[in-house]
Amino acid sequence: MPHRPYRLRVNDWSALEDLYLRFADDPGWPHEARARRAWEHLVQTWQVGAWLGDAQVAVADHGGEPVGFAAVTLALDEPQLGRAMEVGTFVAPAHRGRGANEVLKIWSTQAAVRLGAAWLTACIPVRNARARRAFVKVFPGAEVYENPESAGPWREYLKRRAFAAGEPVRLYVVHLSNFSHPR
């Protein structure tokens, strides 16, 4: 199927709210943000991060309807690694496999660079095969860590993220200076 054109709206909190209202019950929606109160807290965190220069959120729009989002937030900022931003995404079921994920992931690399990052990370639950495939499709050279003991300098970060998720996660790490995309 040909890729559909997607327009991105950065830090459009109203479009993000519309997306939540339409898709919070979808199995692909971030499970920790399904409850209304949890979602509102997460959006407030992103809004503060955007104000501080540590976060950006893009909402993918198709035909005037929000169909997905990417949130880029500060993962860590340490002397030995530099600044790393984490990306989390959601794409509406009807738009999966049609280019929205790629548009959002490419935007996330650009946003991370604008925010001063050398790294882009994603923590994806081990059970979420669809999200893993979607990430690796855009970032085939990403480093992958599942065991904190073998995660080198990412060890503590992976431990914190797995604890926060309440389930096993894989950490995907992309060095932004090594990333290039043909578009």
Side-chain angles (χ1 to χ4, degrees), residues 56-60 68-72 87-90 104-105 107-108:
Q56 283 191 341
V57 177
V59 177
F69 76 85
V72 175
V87 62
T89 61
F90 170 82
L104 288 165
K105 294 284 195 314
W107 171 85
S108 73

Side-chain angles (χ1 to χ4, degrees), residues 116 135 147 154:
F135 192 86
N147 179 354
W154 301 98

